[in-house]
Amino acid sequence: MFGTGFRRGLLTNLLNPKVGAFYVAMLPQFIPADAPHAAMGLLLAGVHVGEGLLWSTVLVGFAALMSGALRTPVVKRLLDRVTGIVIVAFGIRLAMDS
């Protein structure tokens, strides 16, 4: 199960041009002029991947911990209402800006 999800995520990221555009646009500004560009770029990309994995692990763990409470009808109804209010508020704001 983990291997399937990992492969799917890896393939999605490798084939997504936005991921490459992000690294090409963002990472070079953090590479010192005297540092080897390829090695430092790979190191910075590795740090980004590590932070992403850590954040995803925390998020999945928290979701697993809260899954019982989040599935109750009361919480579902509350989340639906809050989401609806936010979407309507964005729509009103967009209509008022035009």
Side-chain angles (χ1 to χ4, degrees):
M1 177 104 155
F2 174 78
T4 304
F6 183 80
R7 278 193 309 275
R8 182 179 296 166
L10 181 65
L11 187 62
T12 299
N13 274 320
L14 290 176
L15 295 177
N16 185 351
K18 291 184 288 186
V19 174
F22 169 79
Y23 285 122
V24 169
M26 293 300 295
L27 293 187
Q29 62 189 330
F30 299 107
I31 298 176
D34 57 343
H37 296 300
M40 186 58 88
L42 286 173
L43 177 66
L44 289 173
V47 168
H48 182 248
V49 168
E51 288 176 345
L53 285 172
L54 180 64
W55 172 247
S56 294
T57 302
V58 169
L59 195 61
V60 167
F62 183 71
L65 184 69
M66 296 299 295
S67 66
L70 292 174
R71 291 181 183 179
T72 63
V74 173
V75 174
K76 280 184 176 181
R77 198 167 37 252
L78 176 67
L79 289 174
D80 285 343
R81 288 178 181 166
V82 169
T83 304
I85 289 169
V86 169
I87 290 172
V88 168
F90 280 140
I92 290 171
R93 182 172 179 194
L94 182 63
M96 300 303 260
D97 282 347
S98 298

